[in-house]
Structures are given as structure tokens and as C-alpha cells.
Amino acid sequence: MSTILNPATEEVIAEIEAAGVEETDAAVARAKEAFPAWRAVSPADRARLLRRLATLVEENLEELARIESRNVGKPIAGARGEVGMVAQVFHYYAGAVDKNFGETIPVAGGIDMTFREPLGVVGLIVPWNFPLNIASWKLGPALACGNTVVLKPAELTPLSALRLAELALEAGIPEGVLNVLPGKGSVVGQRLIEHPDVAKIGFTGSTEVGESVMRGAAATIKRVTLELGGKSANVVFADADLEKAAAAAPYAVFDNAGQDCCARSRILVEASAYDRFAELLVEATRGLRVGDPEDDATEMGPLVSAAHRETVASFVEAEPLYRGDTPDGKGFWYPATLIEARPEDRVAREEVFGPVAALIPFADEADAIRIANDSEYGLSGSIWTENGGRALRVARAIDTGVLSINSNSSVRPSTPFGGFKRSGFGRELGMHGLAGYSEVKNVFYSTE
Ligand code: NAD
């Protein structure tokens, strides 16, 4: 049994039976059994079922958002947005199913054609920060392409995935196609990675566990998609609209209490605008509404667990430029914190995964690019400037998978998402997401 807490109140909200190796094997066997019939469902019918699931998510949006908010401690307004995106992702892949077609290639002596085939049983392992949202990025393309799935939610946050499994059955998705298996990473996750009947692991989580996924997958030559950690840069040039950039910056790093792989937790500011920007940033951060996640107006909640709070606190080694307030009483609260740092400081190099941002000055464009790229990660980032040429020059020069210019935006259902370097590989969302859940088959038909 594992005990599920509300991080804002420390109240027990559920007791969950954790699956073991035996249950994992049984789930894989069910998914394997369901695969031939599911792959044979016509794309139009698979699309219809996915669309129905999307509609059920919309109809149950408030309930799913409340589950997510209570389980993760995230503000309800944000949770509604995330569940809304889950529905959009299913709608998107319902629309994409019949556009995932092959090619005909002119060759001598016949006709060559390609097909996109499903992989079989795929194992999906997801983290606790955006439990249902991240699961949907994998489930949408996996199911659309005709794979069957065993989904392992994070130990701390299994509730929304379990509810989704019920909705999938209600939508008419056949039994065995989507299996949700709460349990430990080291048990269920590990077994999925080793299992000879699992064709692929779609993983989102820490870079450390990502390494072991990749190592473990080698034995069976499993396909892997790895969405891992980040230490993204928010690059603010002196010619930017500083008010706008400073007003947006807290949301780019304190959203989800900083427990966001896309968090722009390194705020790089051109030296000539540094003092002014720091002043504006402190003001904007002071305005962040921290408190009860169930309150519609709340913008930042607690961290997910007491253990995680300890890790986050360990990054604050010096007196910060700014430290916000937190509610009194129970809950795993940690204040929004701004730290003036050097690029070599630990807080500027390692992923904090909490509401702690490092503020770093840079001299000029070349220096900004150098500091931004001086990271083992490359997931996300932002550039703020009113100079269009510079914006695109810098965007091309930063080694990262996702960038926004004069914006914090990172994810949309229709655009590719994924990392460079130790942030992982493979792309989710958009039409690129389909490539991770289908295999290209080449067929030559002789006409001679
Ligand atoms: P984590 O790596 O500890 O766990 C992620 C998942 O892997 C969980 O379901 C966990 O049970 C499972 N797991 C743990 N050990 C395992 C093992 N040995 N074998 C198989 N599975 C195992 O990560 P977390 O703490 O849940 O999430 C935080 C991390 O996730 C951060 O580093 C964050 O940057 C990253 N993240 C990345 C993205 C992205 O898209 N790039 C998105 C969200 C979170």
C-alpha cells in the first residue's frame, strides 16, 4: 500500500495498492493480447474512440482538475488548463491518425511504398509534476498509431491516470488497450524496461533515471523516447520590453512551484539593464499569489513532498535577492526565491525543480549565447528583445529543443517538444509525436 497525500494540507487522500512484477507481467500480457485487434481497428474508428475519450475528459474536466490539484498541490486554475490540454491532445491525435501515411518512391523494376506500423506494446513511465498532461502526450500518439499501452504513473501521483483509465473504457476503447499500473519505478518501471514483450519505453523524468532506462533498454533493443531534466535560460536583452519581460519571468520559473522541466530557472540579463530588470523582477515576484491550491486566484502552491522541499532548500546557500512568503501551518511550502548567481554556481548549473531562480548578468550577445549553452541540458528557453534579427540569430545559436521569443510558452498540442543534450531525445506532440510510436516499413512490389 502506498499513502497518497495532499501536499498543501498533508492529509491522506488515498491508499493505493502498488503493483509488483507479477501484475506488471499480467498487464503486459493483456496488452499483448489486445494488440492484434487494436491495430486492426480502422484509423477512422480509432480516431472516433480517441475523440470520444477527449470529449469525456472535457465533460469531467473539473473532477480531473480537482484530483490533480489535490494530488500534486498545484493551483486549480493551472490544473484546469492542463486537463484542457489533455483533451486537446487526444483531439489532435484523433485528427492525425489518418494523416500518418507513407510514401511511394520511384525505383527501377517496380513500386516501392512505405507504411507506418505500430510497435506493439509500449511502456509509458511518467513523472509527478504534470501527471495526466505528460501521460496524454504519449498516450495520444501511442493509441492513435495502433499500439497498446501499459502506463506507469509516478508513485506520488497515480490518481488522475487511474480515473483516465475508467474514462477510456467508458469511451469504448477495448479492455487491455490501455492499462494503468501504479507502482514503484524500481519495480514496475524496471520490469517494463526489461520485459521482452514491451517494444518501446516512452519516459519522462529525471536525467539520472533516464540513463538507467537507456541502459536497461539496450538488452532488448527497445525503442526509447527520453524527456529529461532542464536548466533553461531566460535571456533578456537591454533592448527588450523590460516591463513585459519582468512581468512574465516569475511565471516562467515559479509556475507549478518551479517543478517544471521547462522552468527558465537561469535568468540571464544584459548588464546595462540588470539593475532595472532586477528591480522589476522582484516587484513582479512579490505579486505572485501563493496559497491554497483550491482557490481560483492562487498562482503558486506547495512542493510535492517534504523530501523534495529539503532538496530544493539545499540550493539556497547564500542570502537571496528576494524570498517570498508562504502560508503558515501544514503543507510542503517553499517560498519563491531569487538568487544573484555566477554561471559556475550550483544553483545556476543543476536542476532545482523548485521555486528558486538564478539571476545572472551578461556582457553582450556572444556572452549571452555562451552562458546559455554552458549547460549539460537543452530543453527550453526564452529570448526577450525588440530586435528581430537578434532574436532569430540567438534562437538559432542556443542548443535547446524548444524556444520562445518574447514569450514563456513551451508546449502546444500541435508543435514538437523535446530536448537536446542531457535533456533527452525524441519529440513529443505535433506530427513529430507520431514518429515515436510507429515504425517505417518499406515494401517493394515488382512490376516485372
Ligand atoms: P523520476 O525520474 O524520479 O521519476 C519519473 C518516473 O520514473 C516515475 O514514474 C518513477 O516511478 C519512474 N522511475 C523511477 N526510477 C525508475 C527506475 N529505476 N526504472 C524505471 N522507472 C523508474 O522523476 P520525477 O522526480 O518523477 O520527475 C522530475 C524529473 O522529471 C525532473 O528532472 C524533470 O525535469 C523531469 N521532467 C522532464 C520533462 C520533460 O518533458 N523533459 C517533463 C516533466 C518532468
Side-chain angles (χ1 to χ4, degrees), residues 266 368-377 397-400 421:
R266 292 186 295 152
I369 294 166
R370 183 187 61 74
I371 299 172
N373 283 340
D374 182 20
S375 170
E376 60 183 22
Y377 296 112
I398 295 183
D399 301 328
T400 189
K421 303 192 274 186

PDB file of all heavy atoms in Angstrom, residues 266 368-377 397-400 421:
ATOM      1  N   ARG A 266      17.358  29.957 -15.125  1.00  0.00           N
ATOM      2  CA  ARG A 266      18.531  30.845 -15.240  1.00  0.00           C
ATOM      3  C   ARG A 266      18.048  32.089 -15.963  1.00  0.00           C
ATOM      4  O   ARG A 266      17.721  32.030 -17.161  1.00  0.00           O
ATOM      5  CB  ARG A 266      19.630  30.183 -16.074  1.00  0.00           C
ATOM      6  CG  ARG A 266      20.249  28.969 -15.388  1.00  0.00           C
ATOM      7  CD  ARG A 266      21.412  28.450 -16.187  1.00  0.00           C
ATOM      8  NE  ARG A 266      21.040  27.926 -17.483  1.00  0.00           N
ATOM      9  CZ  ARG A 266      21.834  27.915 -18.549  1.00  0.00           C
ATOM     10  NH1 ARG A 266      23.045  28.411 -18.496  1.00  0.00           N
ATOM     11  NH2 ARG A 266      21.418  27.388 -19.682  1.00  0.00           N
ATOM     12  N   ALA A 368      25.894  36.105 -23.935  1.00  0.00           N
ATOM     13  CA  ALA A 368      24.586  35.503 -23.596  1.00  0.00           C
ATOM     14  C   ALA A 368      24.495  34.094 -24.174  1.00  0.00           C
ATOM     15  O   ALA A 368      24.077  33.148 -23.493  1.00  0.00           O
ATOM     16  CB  ALA A 368      23.458  36.370 -24.144  1.00  0.00           C
ATOM     17  N   ILE A 369      24.915  33.941 -25.422  1.00  0.00           N
ATOM     18  CA  ILE A 369      24.856  32.623 -26.075  1.00  0.00           C
ATOM     19  C   ILE A 369      25.803  31.644 -25.368  1.00  0.00           C
ATOM     20  O   ILE A 369      25.448  30.496 -25.098  1.00  0.00           O
ATOM     21  CB  ILE A 369      25.209  32.747 -27.583  1.00  0.00           C
ATOM     22  CG1 ILE A 369      24.123  33.564 -28.298  1.00  0.00           C
ATOM     23  CG2 ILE A 369      25.399  31.387 -28.228  1.00  0.00           C
ATOM     24  CD1 ILE A 369      24.499  34.037 -29.688  1.00  0.00           C
ATOM     25  N   ARG A 370      26.981  32.150 -25.040  1.00  0.00           N
ATOM     26  CA  ARG A 370      27.968  31.279 -24.368  1.00  0.00           C
ATOM     27  C   ARG A 370      27.416  30.769 -23.030  1.00  0.00           C
ATOM     28  O   ARG A 370      27.450  29.570 -22.752  1.00  0.00           O
ATOM     29  CB  ARG A 370      29.273  32.070 -24.134  1.00  0.00           C
ATOM     30  CG  ARG A 370      30.402  31.263 -23.519  1.00  0.00           C
ATOM     31  CD  ARG A 370      31.605  32.123 -23.164  1.00  0.00           C
ATOM     32  NE  ARG A 370      31.307  33.158 -22.181  1.00  0.00           N
ATOM     33  CZ  ARG A 370      31.118  32.954 -20.875  1.00  0.00           C
ATOM     34  NH1 ARG A 370      31.212  31.733 -20.396  1.00  0.00           N
ATOM     35  NH2 ARG A 370      30.843  33.953 -20.055  1.00  0.00           N
ATOM     36  N   ILE A 371      26.851  31.677 -22.229  1.00  0.00           N
ATOM     37  CA  ILE A 371      26.344  31.259 -20.903  1.00  0.00           C
ATOM     38  C   ILE A 371      25.130  30.333 -21.082  1.00  0.00           C
ATOM     39  O   ILE A 371      25.015  29.299 -20.413  1.00  0.00           O
ATOM     40  CB  ILE A 371      25.974  32.480 -20.028  1.00  0.00           C
ATOM     41  CG1 ILE A 371      27.198  33.358 -19.783  1.00  0.00           C
ATOM     42  CG2 ILE A 371      25.379  32.029 -18.696  1.00  0.00           C
ATOM     43  CD1 ILE A 371      26.893  34.689 -19.088  1.00  0.00           C
ATOM     44  N   ALA A 372      24.235  30.710 -22.005  1.00  0.00           N
ATOM     45  CA  ALA A 372      23.035  29.872 -22.206  1.00  0.00           C
ATOM     46  C   ALA A 372      23.429  28.445 -22.585  1.00  0.00           C
ATOM     47  O   ALA A 372      22.827  27.475 -22.114  1.00  0.00           O
ATOM     48  CB  ALA A 372      22.150  30.491 -23.288  1.00  0.00           C
ATOM     49  N   ASN A 373      24.464  28.315 -23.412  1.00  0.00           N
ATOM     50  CA  ASN A 373      24.873  26.978 -23.871  1.00  0.00           C
ATOM     51  C   ASN A 373      25.800  26.256 -22.896  1.00  0.00           C
ATOM     52  O   ASN A 373      26.086  25.067 -23.077  1.00  0.00           O
ATOM     53  CB  ASN A 373      25.575  27.075 -25.234  1.00  0.00           C
ATOM     54  CG  ASN A 373      24.572  27.267 -26.351  1.00  0.00           C
ATOM     55  OD1 ASN A 373      23.379  26.963 -26.181  1.00  0.00           O
ATOM     56  ND2 ASN A 373      25.026  27.774 -27.480  1.00  0.00           N
ATOM     57  N   ASP A 374      26.252  26.955 -21.879  1.00  0.00           N
ATOM     58  CA  ASP A 374      27.155  26.341 -20.911  1.00  0.00           C
ATOM     59  C   ASP A 374      26.328  25.547 -19.895  1.00  0.00           C
ATOM     60  O   ASP A 374      26.266  25.864 -18.710  1.00  0.00           O
ATOM     61  CB  ASP A 374      27.978  27.442 -20.214  1.00  0.00           C
ATOM     62  CG  ASP A 374      28.961  26.844 -19.227  1.00  0.00           C
ATOM     63  OD1 ASP A 374      29.283  25.648 -19.351  1.00  0.00           O
ATOM     64  OD2 ASP A 374      29.386  27.585 -18.312  1.00  0.00           O
ATOM     65  N   SER A 375      25.655  24.521 -20.396  1.00  0.00           N
ATOM     66  CA  SER A 375      24.790  23.700 -19.557  1.00  0.00           C
ATOM     67  C   SER A 375      24.749  22.314 -20.159  1.00  0.00           C
ATOM     68  O   SER A 375      24.801  22.162 -21.382  1.00  0.00           O
ATOM     69  CB  SER A 375      23.373  24.295 -19.552  1.00  0.00           C
ATOM     70  OG  SER A 375      22.475  23.394 -18.930  1.00  0.00           O
ATOM     71  N   GLU A 376      24.636  21.321 -19.291  1.00  0.00           N
ATOM     72  CA  GLU A 376      24.522  19.953 -19.831  1.00  0.00           C
ATOM     73  C   GLU A 376      23.127  19.695 -20.391  1.00  0.00           C
ATOM     74  O   GLU A 376      22.903  18.716 -21.095  1.00  0.00           O
ATOM     75  CB  GLU A 376      24.895  18.933 -18.755  1.00  0.00           C
ATOM     76  CG  GLU A 376      24.038  18.974 -17.523  1.00  0.00           C
ATOM     77  CD  GLU A 376      24.524  17.982 -16.456  1.00  0.00           C
ATOM     78  OE1 GLU A 376      25.704  17.595 -16.507  1.00  0.00           O
ATOM     79  OE2 GLU A 376      23.707  17.600 -15.594  1.00  0.00           O
ATOM     80  N   TYR A 377      22.192  20.592 -20.058  1.00  0.00           N
ATOM     81  CA  TYR A 377      20.817  20.426 -20.513  1.00  0.00           C
ATOM     82  C   TYR A 377      20.522  21.291 -21.742  1.00  0.00           C
ATOM     83  O   TYR A 377      21.261  22.227 -22.039  1.00  0.00           O
ATOM     84  CB  TYR A 377      19.852  20.839 -19.403  1.00  0.00           C
ATOM     85  CG  TYR A 377      19.938  19.981 -18.176  1.00  0.00           C
ATOM     86  CD1 TYR A 377      20.424  20.496 -16.971  1.00  0.00           C
ATOM     87  CD2 TYR A 377      19.529  18.652 -18.208  1.00  0.00           C
ATOM     88  CE1 TYR A 377      20.492  19.707 -15.831  1.00  0.00           C
ATOM     89  CE2 TYR A 377      19.593  17.857 -17.069  1.00  0.00           C
ATOM     90  CZ  TYR A 377      20.076  18.391 -15.889  1.00  0.00           C
ATOM     91  OH  TYR A 377      20.139  17.613 -14.769  1.00  0.00           O
ATOM     92  N   ALA A 397      21.273  29.944 -32.293  1.00  0.00           N
ATOM     93  CA  ALA A 397      22.566  29.628 -31.662  1.00  0.00           C
ATOM     94  C   ALA A 397      22.431  28.882 -30.341  1.00  0.00           C
ATOM     95  O   ALA A 397      23.380  28.251 -29.884  1.00  0.00           O
ATOM     96  CB  ALA A 397      23.344  30.926 -31.437  1.00  0.00           C
ATOM     97  N   ILE A 398      21.268  28.942 -29.719  1.00  0.00           N
ATOM     98  CA  ILE A 398      21.129  28.258 -28.417  1.00  0.00           C
ATOM     99  C   ILE A 398      20.772  26.786 -28.656  1.00  0.00           C
ATOM    100  O   ILE A 398      19.859  26.468 -29.412  1.00  0.00           O
ATOM    101  CB  ILE A 398      20.062  28.958 -27.534  1.00  0.00           C
ATOM    102  CG1 ILE A 398      20.519  30.383 -27.181  1.00  0.00           C
ATOM    103  CG2 ILE A 398      19.822  28.165 -26.262  1.00  0.00           C
ATOM    104  CD1 ILE A 398      19.584  31.142 -26.267  1.00  0.00           C
ATOM    105  N   ASP A 399      21.513  25.897 -27.997  1.00  0.00           N
ATOM    106  CA  ASP A 399      21.319  24.452 -28.189  1.00  0.00           C
ATOM    107  C   ASP A 399      20.205  23.954 -27.279  1.00  0.00           C
ATOM    108  O   ASP A 399      20.449  23.484 -26.165  1.00  0.00           O
ATOM    109  CB  ASP A 399      22.620  23.703 -27.859  1.00  0.00           C
ATOM    110  CG  ASP A 399      23.767  24.162 -28.732  1.00  0.00           C
ATOM    111  OD1 ASP A 399      23.505  24.527 -29.900  1.00  0.00           O
ATOM    112  OD2 ASP A 399      24.915  24.180 -28.243  1.00  0.00           O
ATOM    113  N   THR A 400      19.003  24.056 -27.769  1.00  0.00           N
ATOM    114  CA  THR A 400      17.857  23.659 -26.955  1.00  0.00           C
ATOM    115  C   THR A 400      16.710  23.246 -27.870  1.00  0.00           C
ATOM    116  O   THR A 400      16.627  23.699 -29.015  1.00  0.00           O
ATOM    117  CB  THR A 400      17.471  24.841 -26.019  1.00  0.00           C
ATOM    118  OG1 THR A 400      16.507  24.400 -25.090  1.00  0.00           O
ATOM    119  CG2 THR A 400      16.907  26.010 -26.783  1.00  0.00           C
ATOM    120  N   LYS A 421      20.896  17.490 -25.893  1.00  0.00           N
ATOM    121  CA  LYS A 421      21.887  17.124 -24.876  1.00  0.00           C
ATOM    122  C   LYS A 421      21.281  16.208 -23.796  1.00  0.00           C
ATOM    123  O   LYS A 421      20.489  15.321 -24.116  1.00  0.00           O
ATOM    124  CB  LYS A 421      22.533  18.389 -24.285  1.00  0.00           C
ATOM    125  CG  LYS A 421      23.179  19.273 -25.369  1.00  0.00           C
ATOM    126  CD  LYS A 421      24.067  20.358 -24.798  1.00  0.00           C
ATOM    127  CE  LYS A 421      23.325  21.600 -24.422  1.00  0.00           C
ATOM    128  NZ  LYS A 421      24.198  22.705 -24.009  1.00  0.00           N
TER     129      LYS A 421
END
